[in-house]
């Protein structure tokens, strides 16, 4: 069974990965896929939207005769990530309490 990942959690995962280091799209997709079931075709629209919302910025680096586009977290993106983490902690703790109550019956 797969649980559909809410947009805010996918955003948080992308922003968290980029908080560690700048990455190009394919490498970022592979990192996110370690935690979430998400396709490459899903990731690029997410990256475009996060860039449009000014949470990310891009720059190009030459690689094997062509340019590779890298994504970098902006200060606004870092602040948004902190907000997502705060909300996630409250959600996670509430859900854990509820689920744990049902396992003790």
């Amino acid at each position: 069974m797969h649980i559909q990942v809410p947009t805010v959690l996918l955003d948080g995962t992308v922003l968290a990965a980029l908080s560690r280091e700048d990455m190009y799209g394919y490498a970022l997709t592979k990192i996110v896929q370690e935690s979430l079931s998400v396709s490459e075709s899903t990731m690029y629209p997410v990256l475009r939207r996060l860039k449009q919302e000014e949470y990310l910025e891009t720059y190009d680096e030459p690689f094997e005769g062509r340019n590779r586009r890298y994504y970098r977290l902006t200060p606004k993106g870092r602040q948004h990530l902190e907000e997502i983490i705060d909300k996630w902690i409250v959600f996670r703790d509430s859900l854990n309490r509820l689920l744990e109550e049902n396992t003790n019956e």
Side-chain angles (χ1 to χ4, degrees):
M1 175 177 82
H2 289 288
I3 296 175
Q4 188 170 355
V5 178
T7 301
V8 70
L9 292 182
L10 181 54
D11 290 358
T13 304
V14 169
L15 296 173
L18 290 171
S19 73
R20 294 185 208 120
E21 65 179 311
D22 299 355
M23 283 185 246
Y24 59 95
Y26 181 76
L28 180 57
T29 299
K30 291 300 175 194
I31 294 292
V32 171
Q33 287 175 335
E34 291 175 6
S35 300
L36 303 173
S37 177
V38 61
S39 68
E40 196 172 340
S41 62
T42 298
M43 285 294 294
Y44 285 98
V46 170
L47 292 169
R48 280 193 298 275
R49 180 177 48 74
L50 291 172
K51 182 180 178 196
Q52 184 178 12
E53 293 172 353
E54 299 178 348
Y55 298 138
L56 302 178
E57 58 190 15
T58 59
Y59 61 93
D60 294 338
E61 290 284 328
F63 178 77
E64 296 181 356
R66 49 185 221 145
N67 279 336
R68 186 178 266 176
R69 175 144 301 156
Y70 283 80
Y71 295 87
R72 173 175 35 223
L73 199 60
T74 64
K76 184 177 177 181
R78 192 166 302 280
Q79 179 181 354
H80 187 56
L81 173 59
E82 290 172 11
E83 293 166 1
I84 291 171
I85 290 170
D86 290 343
K87 290 176 184 175
W88 166 252
I89 290 169
V90 170
F91 175 79
R92 179 200 64 199
D93 291 348
S94 297
L95 190 59
N96 281 346
R97 276 192 303 279
L98 179 62
L99 293 174
E100 288 169 2
E101 286 173 8
N102 285 319
T103 60
N104 294 327
E105 294 179 357

